[in-house]
Amino acid sequence: MTRSRHLSRPALASAATAALALGLAVPAHADTLHADGDVLTEGTDVALGIIACDQAIPFSTLLSAVRQGARGTAPVYADGSTVSFDASVLSWPAGMTVDFPTAWPELTLPSDWTARPDGTRSDSAEFQMALRSTVNGPGETTIRWWAGGTSATPGEAPVVLNAETRVTWETAGCRDADTAPTAPGTPSVSARVTGGSLTLSWAASTDAEGDPLTYTVETRDRDDLEWKTVITGLTSTALTLAAPEEGTRSYRVTAVEAGTTAPALSSAPSAPSAAVVVDRGAPNAPSYTTSRGPEYTAPDGTGWWRDSVGVAFASAGDPALPDGSAGSGVTSVTGSATVAAAGPFRITGVARDAALNKNHAVVSGAVDGAAPTVALDCPAEAVVGSATSGTWTASDEAGGSGVAGASAGSLSLVTDAVGARTETLAAGAASDRVGHATSSASCSYRVVYPFAGFFRSVDTDRVNVARAGRDVALSFSLGGDRGLGVLDGAPTFAVSGGALAGEAIDQSGKLPGAGLTYDAASGQYTYLWKTDRAWAGKSGTVSVRLADGTVHSAVFSFTK
């Protein structure tokens, strides 16, 4: 017995109104299987009418065996035989399925079945099934019914009876074959270059069946062969990526039917978006040049420039992206600058790329804008003909580069003649480390005779007592014969008060002639000073003014 089974057997909600019966293929058989209701013979059509698409239409048959021995033939089935039933579908139209019962019915004939009178009915068994169609329009199939039981003739094989029934219907409400949605529009991008977020938007897809759609967004960069999924199940036609992967990227979108039976249909991918450079890396720090090299480099590495220095920055390029494509490119670099303010400086140059990433370089150094100062120090007096020097010292301004080389020295002074003199230190005696030279410096001094004091008991450190009206010899040495023009006029006496106690000078001995004389033997000059008798009882100071501008004095007190 052949049994046809379907993959699913949904529970039958109710029995169909159509009553089916199994007619006998062999008229000589004495047993007939009946349905509950009219007796239907082999080949009878069953019309199910209009059925809904993809809905199970249940129907059932109440089967029983009727003893019809009056026809003059022997019974087919033996007493007490178990009659089992089965069915198979002989044709399978497109979209049709038939669900058979999970438990197949059986009848047990009475133990006196062969002796029963005509028309005796056996127990009944309900045969349940359902038909389903998913294709619009008329449909037809043939179902073959089987009944089998033990033969009434001992030793014979089991008896199998069969019949065929044509079942017709018309399906309504099925939609046509599903079609894929149209491709979404080419994604537009919010920026062609970005270092942050990126928004994609596209024209919506359409679906002929009106199925709901979701979108899948994919991307690839310059060195990718395959597209990589960014997101699936998106219901809107826009997507903002907070941090897209770096690289030169394109994006595409595919529409996918949602809520339909698997497999879900997908559209063709959209055309790729315009390429977007996603660059979150900083450009290279800018390079820089100075208008010239430093005039001096300090031990700590600080470069020193004289007066000013120009600094110019330039792009050093933008590194390639991870996919090997070019970065977004440097769009701006800090311009040139000139540093003229004295002291340390620090200038920052900034490079920015098209994605607004930035990097910087720092140029530092110092500017020395002033020459060192110099001072020349001379003694107030220098002895005529002596080897006398002035001293000079140089110093740089506070915070400057410092004096290069010696910061002090000496300058020989001219002493060939007595009198007031000025000596000048030429410019450039010293310089700072960036090349500023000192200016000239001068000092004034007086060239004088080597006056050795008064002789003949006249002392400049005490009161000299002399008799008024008598000549006093004022003797002194000038280190040799300087000629008789060594005096700037005659000595003068200024009375300052009354007589003072002191030490009498020697006024004895031979005195030289009047005026100024020079004695080569002693190497002394003598001026014969004539005193006034009116000075008796008075004191004062005698002053001898030399031609070199110096004045040499002694205190005198006069007696009668």
Side-chain angles (χ1 to χ4, degrees):
M1 190 179 297
T2 301
R3 178 173 295 176
S4 174
R5 299 185 184 264
H6 193 266
L7 292 177
S8 62
R9 295 186 174 88
L12 302 178
S14 62
T17 56
L20 303 180
L22 180 62
L24 297 180
V26 182
H29 288 173
D31 300 334
T32 301
L33 297 178
H34 288 267
D36 182 32
D38 297 334
V39 175
L40 302 177
T41 59
E42 180 179 4
T44 300
D45 292 342
V46 175
L48 298 182
I50 297 176
I51 64 176
C53 181
D54 202 22
Q55 297 294 314
I57 305 302
F59 55 94
S60 64
T61 300
L62 190 64
L63 301 175
S64 62
V66 179
R67 179 77 174 87
Q68 295 182 341
R71 296 186 179 182
T73 59
V76 174
Y77 295 115
D79 292 342
S81 175
T82 297
V83 180
S84 60
F85 300 96
D86 204 344
S88 65
V89 179
L90 300 185
S91 61
W92 293 89
M96 183 209 76
T97 59
V98 176
D99 294 336
F100 293 109
T102 57
W104 297 81
E106 293 181 339
L107 292 179
T108 301
L109 299 179
S111 58
D112 59 350
W113 178 251
T114 59
R116 287 201 169 205
D118 293 344
T120 300
R121 185 181 299 274
S122 72
D123 293 333
S124 297
E126 186 177 27
F127 196 97
Q128 296 180 332
M129 67 204 77
L131 184 143
R132 183 189 305 265
S133 175
T134 58
V135 176
N136 282 334
E140 176 182 328
T141 188
T142 300
I143 299 176
R144 174 169 292 173
W145 312 94
W146 307 85
T150 304
S151 174
T153 303
E156 288 190 3
V159 178
V160 177
L161 305 178
N162 64 76
E164 295 180 357
T165 300
R166 187 170 69 96
V167 182
T168 60
W169 67 89
E170 182 172 353
T171 306
C174 293
R175 71 181 190 180
D176 295 335
D178 197 8
T179 58
T182 61
T186 303
S188 62
V189 293
S190 59
R192 295 294 299 275
V193 176
T194 182
S197 64
L198 176 68
T199 297
L200 310 171
S201 58
W202 56 90
S205 298
T206 59
D207 187 70
E209 294 75 40
D211 291 325
L213 302 176
T214 64
Y215 296 98
T216 297
V217 178
E218 299 174 296
T219 185
R220 70 180 180 187
D221 59 26
R222 285 288 172 84
D223 64 358
D224 288 342
L225 296 178
E226 302 295 333
W227 290 87
K228 181 170 64 176
T229 299
V230 175
I231 190 172
T232 61
L234 190 66
T235 57
S236 67
T237 56
L239 173 64
T240 296
L241 302 172
E245 291 184 69
E246 281 193 287
T248 300
R249 299 197 156 275
S250 296
Y251 296 86
R252 71 179 187 181
V253 183
T254 302
V256 181
E257 289 183 347
T260 60
T261 57
L265 295 179
S266 299
S267 72
S270 70
S273 71
V276 179
V277 177
V278 182
D279 183 1
R280 285 192 291 277
N284 296 323
S287 62
Y288 64 87
T289 56
T290 55
S291 54
R292 65 184 188 282
E295 278 75 24
Y296 167 66
T297 301
D300 64 1
T302 301
W304 283 84
W305 279 268
R306 177 177 174 173
D307 298 332
S308 66
V309 61
V311 180
F313 294 95
S315 168
D318 199 17
L321 299 176
D323 62 354
S325 62
S328 59
V330 176
T331 57
S332 67
V333 180
T334 299
S336 302
T338 298
V339 182
F345 67 84
R346 181 182 177 89
I347 299 177
T348 300
V350 178
R352 288 180 173 84
D353 63 19
L356 303 183
N357 303 300
K358 63 182 180 180
N359 204 345
H360 68 277
V362 175
V363 183
S364 61
V367 169
D368 188 335
T373 58
V374 64
L376 178 61
D377 184 28
C378 296
E381 295 179 345
V383 175
V384 64
S386 66
T388 305
S389 298
T391 58
W392 61 264
T393 57
S395 61
D396 204 13
E397 74 274 20
S401 61
V403 175
S407 60
S410 62
L411 177 68
S412 296
L413 303 181
V414 177
T415 61
D416 58 350
V418 297
R421 298 294 297 266
T422 297
E423 193 62 55
T424 299
L425 178 69
S431 62
D432 61 20
R433 291 188 172 95
V434 297
H436 291 120
T438 56
S439 59
S440 61
S442 299
C443 67
S444 295
Y445 60 97
R446 182 176 294 278
V447 180
V448 298
Y449 297 119
F451 182 78
F454 292 110
F455 300 103
R456 294 183 66 88
S457 73
V458 176
D459 196 334
T460 57
D461 295 328
R462 59 180 172 80
V463 176
N464 302 280
V465 179
R467 291 179 67 182
R470 294 191 65 176
D471 294 339
V472 174
L474 297 176
S475 299
F476 54 88
S477 173
L478 296 182
D481 187 0
R482 308 291 181 181
L484 296 178
V486 296
L487 292 181
D488 182 11
T492 61
F493 180 73
V495 176
S496 59
L500 298 174
E503 185 175 343
I505 65 171
D506 182 9
Q507 290 180 292
S508 64
K510 183 180 178 180
L511 295 177
L516 180 68
T517 60
Y518 176 76
D519 180 40
S522 63
Q524 293 182 2
Y525 284 94
T526 300
Y527 184 87
L528 191 62
W529 176 36
K530 295 184 176 296
T531 65
D532 192 335
R533 289 181 179 180
W535 295 343
K538 298 178 180 180
S539 62
T541 302
V542 62
S543 298
V544 178
R545 180 179 294 275
L546 300 180
D548 62 6
T550 61
V551 177
H552 305 281
S553 302
V555 178
F556 277 82
S557 180
F558 291 96
T559 65
K560 290 183 179 181

